[in-house]
Amino acid sequence: MLIRAKFARDYNLRYISHLEIMDTFRKGIRRAGLPGAYSQGFNPTLNLSLSQPLPVGMAGGGEYLDLELTRPINGEGFKARLNSFLPEGLKILDARYIPDQTGLKSLQALLNRAEYHISARGKLKEKREVLIEKLMAKNKIIVIRKRRNKPDREYDIRPLIFEAKVLKDNKISFIVSTGSSGNVRPEEIVKALQTLEPEVPDHSVIDFYRSGLFVEKGDKIISPLTDQVLEER
């Protein structure tokens, strides 16, 4: 049995690393007296896993965790008890108890879509509608990725960008592939926009926000907390 929960990591915790977030959850779960299961061996650890790590400096509003349990607890109870022991800026938004985890995919194997918001500045802010239209009209978007101890490699990220639209407050939203099937970094999208308009400024990691992680099903993207995802093993 396990509990799957959606959480938000706010801007004031954006400089906390993935491992520190894991440690914060472990402490919160222990202090809340929640029935988390531990691994066996000389150094037992809480059987807790998180979705794809957020880069240091980036906040997120739709992250996920899985926690194995030793006894049942309902989602609302888990949410209320754990939130009482989490620091400001880290909050459980929703949770579901899953009585049988047999065949359930891990979060990192399951989640394959990410939505990013970019706070547009400079020429990107001025020309965002036109640039987005031009970007999505391209057949190929080649980026160069540097690899440790290996030659740089070219990637075509266009097939991995599924949606782009302009939001309010000068923000741009992109839905892209994430996980083992392919990954697009938001800074690569800005680099691609610079090939269309050289005066688009570089954007740092604090200009990006990961609003959610999802599962692709047909022509839709859905939450990993939905019945459709939890019932398909």
Side-chain angles (χ1 to χ4, degrees):
M1 69 189 89
L2 64 76
I3 198 103
R4 174 166 289 172
K6 177 181 180 181
F7 67 93
R9 172 179 160 182
D10 212 342
Y11 286 100
N12 58 347
L13 290 184
R14 64 189 175 193
Y15 293 113
I16 303 297
S17 72
H18 184 73
L19 292 179
E20 289 170 316
I21 290 291
M22 286 278 285
D23 196 42
T24 302
F25 274 123
R26 289 190 188 107
K27 290 176 181 173
I29 290 164
R30 283 200 301 270
R31 289 170 180 167
L34 291 164
Y38 283 78
S39 62
Q40 303 296 313
F42 290 107
N43 296 300
T45 56
L46 204 56
N47 288 336
L48 172 71
S49 59
L50 303 188
S51 49
Q52 286 88 335
L54 274 169
V56 173
M58 191 185 301
E63 308 299 300
Y64 290 90
L65 67 82
D66 277 350
L67 173 68
E68 287 189 29
L69 300 172
T70 56
R71 63 176 187 274
I73 182 171
N74 67 57
E76 281 301 312
F78 177 85
K79 172 183 164 183
R81 286 170 61 180
L82 185 52
N83 276 339
S84 299
F85 290 88
L86 293 178
E88 186 177 351
L90 192 61
K91 185 176 183 180
I92 300 293
L93 304 175
D94 196 6
R96 281 195 66 173
Y97 168 66
I98 303 168
D100 181 7
Q101 66 200 72
T102 305
L104 193 69
K105 288 184 178 178
S106 69
L107 287 169
Q108 298 221 7
L110 179 68
L111 296 166
N112 55 15
R113 297 289 182 272
E115 181 177 23
Y116 292 96
H117 293 173
I118 300 175
S119 298
R121 296 186 285 105
K123 286 293 180 184
L124 181 54
K125 177 180 171 182
E126 291 175 24
K127 298 184 175 181
R128 54 192 183 278
E129 287 90 355
V130 174
L131 290 173
I132 293 304
E133 186 176 345
K134 286 183 177 178
L135 186 79
M136 296 304 286
K138 291 174 74 73
N139 293 321
K140 284 187 176 182
I141 300 174
I142 302 297
V143 299
I144 298 174
R145 289 186 183 170
K146 296 188 178 301
R147 301 187 299 168
R148 186 178 297 175
N149 301 324
K150 293 181 179 179
D152 295 349
R153 187 170 177 182
E154 288 189 351
Y155 287 89
D156 179 12
I157 62 171
R158 180 61 187 89
L160 308 179
I161 303 174
F162 303 102
E163 183 180 295
K165 60 184 177 184
V166 174
L167 306 176
K168 295 178 182 176
D169 303 327
N170 304 318
K171 289 185 171 57
I172 301 171
S173 164
F174 287 92
I175 294 177
V176 300
S177 177
T178 189
S180 58
S181 59
N183 192 48
V184 177
R185 302 164 186 166
E187 61 270 27
E188 293 175 334
I189 294 174
V190 174
K191 293 291 183 189
L193 291 166
Q194 288 172 334
T195 65
L196 301 170
E197 170 52 71
E199 292 187 32
V200 167
D202 287 335
H203 285 57
S204 70
V205 68
I206 63 172
D207 293 315
F208 307 129
Y209 176 78
R210 189 161 76 188
S211 64
L213 291 165
F214 304 94
V215 183
E216 182 268 336
K217 291 286 180 188
D219 60 350
K220 295 181 180 178
I221 58 170
I222 57 179
S223 162
L225 295 178
T226 58
D227 289 341
Q228 187 178 356
V229 172
L230 297 178
E231 290 170 2
E232 286 184 9
R233 306 285 174 96

